[in-house]
Amino acid sequence: MIRLLERLGVPRVLMLGFLAVAIFMTGDGFELTFLSKFMVDQGFTSSQASLLVTVYGLFAAAGGWSAGMLAEMFGARRVMMFGACWWIGIHLLFLGVAIPGRIYPLILGLYALRGIGYPLFIYSFVVLMAQHISPSRLASATGFFWTCFSLGIGVFGAYLPSFIMPVFGEYRTFWFALPFSIVGTIMCFLFVPKNKVVKGEGLSRKEQLKELAEGATILVTNRKILICAIIRIINNLLLYGFPVIMPLYLCTTHNGGINIFKTEEWMRIWGFVFVVTLIFNTFWGWFMDRFGWVWPMRWFGCAVLAVGSVAFYYIPQWFGANALMMIVASIIVGIGTCAFSSLPTIMTLYAGEGKQGAALSAYNLAAGLTTFAGPGVATILLPVIGYGGVCWTYAALYVLAFVLTLFIRPRQPGFDEHGHRIAKAKNGTAPQDDAVPAVNTVSEESIGVGVAAAEAV
């Protein structure tokens, strides 16, 4: 197993850090599949339930945007520890004070603040990946990173609560998240290495703020990076939107819900999305490094997810409570969600030398905004056009992403300007492309936040 990970470009010094990410995200994902239904069962409206996740995503976007630059300037392990302790502290207040009090503004505020914690933890780790892993292997290695993410937030985070909740109830199930988050935090403290380079040393506060701001301003100054960021936001709309609307659609009668599955059945169906990502996060990273960065994203990402968006709505309409058909739809969504592994690498190329950190902070900002946009679409449109209309809106946005991929044509190592693979020379090595060497010679200081493959999250 260790040799296999090393072949993917994962150094031994980081392997336990990947495990810490998986364990911590198990805790973070515990309530994802049933929080909206829990809120409705407590007497809140479906709009209030989806707004809760929407605002959470907005704060997660802020955490994701700042994580990379903060980790570069102050040290990744330090920022990871801060994010983890923040998450645990706010979670205790959320469960111990806000939920029992049933005060919606307090529930909303605390849950939103908790959203800052997990991006600081996981995206800071990506800085260490960038400093310890060769740029030519980052797409493959970060595919494994997102596999660990999916294993935590999706597989264990979905399946464990589905067995715990029928025994202990929904509220007590929230508390089971804490042991996983605490263990992940301890592992981070014990086993995650320090930065090779701490960029903030010697910089004034003004210079540090300027570095941080570049993660947003580059979206204005570089059109290609803006296009990539929009695609990244669209990438995970279903991953964060469906856990909000599907429990209401499949397990209740609110707003026209059909109420044909139990909550735990829905949780196990949705868990298949992440089971699939355990394979395809790594597969797509490997595949894109060898066969092209953009066309798989266009066809296996955008097009497949457009189909998956409407499949989740119509399969129950056509086949009733057919769990097998719903699992097929989950597999479709899982395969498509992973097929964006090359986006961060493309963004670093378009940024140019010295701007990789800013480009990847923009990537992290987009990754955070998808947790806001997915439930945000539902919050705004669900009362107006219902579940079917929301699903078709998601599908239309994936079509938009499909079109946007036509405007990005990066020069990939080993490929010519038309995106065709360069034939290997007789000695078995590919000829050097004059336009590409900078990809493999990016310094540790300038690589910035590192390459994060398309999440399954």
Side-chain angles (χ1 to χ4, degrees):
M1 183 63 179
I2 292 177
R3 289 187 177 181
L4 175 62
L5 293 178
E6 288 179 328
R7 288 182 65 184
L8 289 174
V10 178
R12 295 194 181 202
V13 70
L14 293 183
M15 287 181 185
L16 289 175
F18 281 94
L19 182 59
V21 167
I23 293 174
F24 184 88
M25 292 310 299
T26 298
D28 182 77
F30 240 63
E31 81 281 350
L32 184 63
T33 53
F34 67 94
L35 177 63
S36 61
K37 182 178 179 296
F38 171 80
M39 291 293 292
V40 170
D41 290 343
Q42 299 305 303
F44 298 103
T45 67
S46 56
S47 294
Q48 286 176 313
S50 59
L51 179 63
L52 186 67
V53 185
T54 301
V55 177
Y56 175 87
L58 185 62
F59 278 71
W65 166 60
S66 61
M69 287 299 186
L70 290 174
E72 277 193 319
M73 291 190 290
F74 304 111
R77 188 173 69 175
R78 184 182 300 175
V79 177
M80 289 177 72
M81 289 298 300
F82 175 82
C85 292
W86 176 275
W87 191 98
I88 292 169
I90 298 296
H91 190 67
L92 286 170
L93 291 174
F94 177 70
L95 296 184
V97 179
I99 293 293
R102 297 190 179 185
I103 304 171
Y104 184 75
L106 183 61
I107 294 173
L108 182 67
L110 286 175
Y111 194 66
L113 288 173
R114 203 196 78 177
I116 297 173
Y118 92 84
L120 293 177
F121 188 87
I122 66 169
Y123 292 131
S124 295
F125 183 73
V126 176
V127 170
L128 297 178
M129 291 171 57
Q131 295 191 356
H132 286 86
I133 299 172
S134 166
S136 63
R137 305 297 299 276
L138 275 171
S140 298
T142 52
F144 179 70
F145 167 82
W146 285 111
T147 295
C148 293
F149 176 90
S150 297
L151 184 66
I153 196 172
V155 178
F156 291 126
Y159 283 110
L160 288 178
S162 76
F163 294 107
I164 294 170
M165 190 180 65
V167 178
F168 293 95
E170 293 175 336
Y171 175 69
R172 290 187 179 90
T173 300
F174 288 133
W175 288 93
F176 280 86
L178 280 169
F180 294 96
S181 302
I182 291 170
V183 170
T185 303
I186 293 171
M187 289 188 66
C188 170
F189 179 76
L190 294 177
F191 301 118
V192 170
K194 295 182 179 180
N195 289 41
K196 286 185 175 182
V197 178
V198 179
K199 194 174 181 180
E201 292 179 350
L203 293 181
S204 67
R205 182 61 57 85
K206 183 178 180 181
E207 290 170 328
Q208 291 173 349
L209 291 174
K210 181 181 178 182
E211 288 285 337
L212 185 61
E214 279 189 350
T217 58
I218 197 170
L219 294 170
V220 178
T221 59
N222 192 315
R223 185 171 64 92
K224 296 289 188 181
I225 289 179
L226 175 61
I227 291 173
C228 291
I230 294 172
I231 295 171
R232 180 63 185 87
I233 292 171
I234 296 172
N235 170 198
N236 277 2
L237 288 178
L238 298 190
L239 210 62
Y240 294 98
F242 272 7
V244 174
I245 66 170
M246 283 300 153
L248 303 178
Y249 173 55
L250 298 173
C251 309
T252 76
T253 56
H254 291 277
N255 289 332
I258 56 179
N259 193 24
I260 60 174
F261 289 106
K262 295 179 181 178
T263 305
E264 56 267 30
E265 290 175 329
W266 145 250
M267 293 164 73
R268 292 164 193 165
I269 289 169
W270 186 245
F272 271 90
V273 171
F274 295 93
V275 171
V276 170
T277 63
L278 297 183
I279 300 170
F280 279 90
N281 269 321
T282 301
F283 170 78
W284 283 126
W286 170 87
F287 186 90
M288 289 179 167
D289 276 345
R290 286 155 182 79
F291 300 106
W293 284 341
V294 178
W295 71 265
M297 184 195 320
R298 181 181 303 137
W299 291 103
F300 293 100
C302 302
V304 166
L305 287 174
V307 173
S309 300
V310 294
F312 258 86
Y313 178 75
Y314 285 107
I315 284 176
Q317 299 279 349
W318 295 338
F319 299 97
N322 190 322
L324 182 60
M325 291 299 297
M326 293 298 292
I327 288 171
V328 171
S330 295
I331 291 171
I332 291 172
V333 171
I335 291 172
T337 297
C338 301
F340 294 77
S341 298
S342 57
L343 265 180
T345 309
I346 293 170
M347 292 174 75
T348 61
L349 285 177
Y350 280 138
E353 186 69 25
K355 295 288 186 180
Q356 284 82 5
L360 289 163
S361 281
Y363 173 87
N364 287 346
L365 175 61
L369 284 174
T370 196
T371 67
F372 164 73
V377 169
T379 301
I380 296 170
L381 297 181
L382 183 58
V384 181
I385 58 178
Y387 298 106
V390 172
C391 290
W392 276 105
T393 301
Y394 287 142
L397 289 169
Y398 283 113
V399 172
L400 171 62
F402 182 100
V403 174
L404 290 176
T405 62
L406 300 173
F407 295 93
I408 52 175
R409 300 182 181 88
R411 294 293 299 276
Q412 182 174 352
F415 291 75
D416 63 23
E417 64 273 14
H418 301 294
H420 301 136
R421 189 166 185 83
I422 300 172
K424 290 186 177 181
K426 291 183 178 180
N427 62 4
T429 60
Q432 292 294 318
D433 187 339
D434 293 339
V436 173
V439 178
N440 295 316
T441 58
V442 177
S443 66
E444 290 170 351
E445 294 86 352
S446 65
I447 190 67
V449 117
V451 177
E455 4 180 333
V457 271

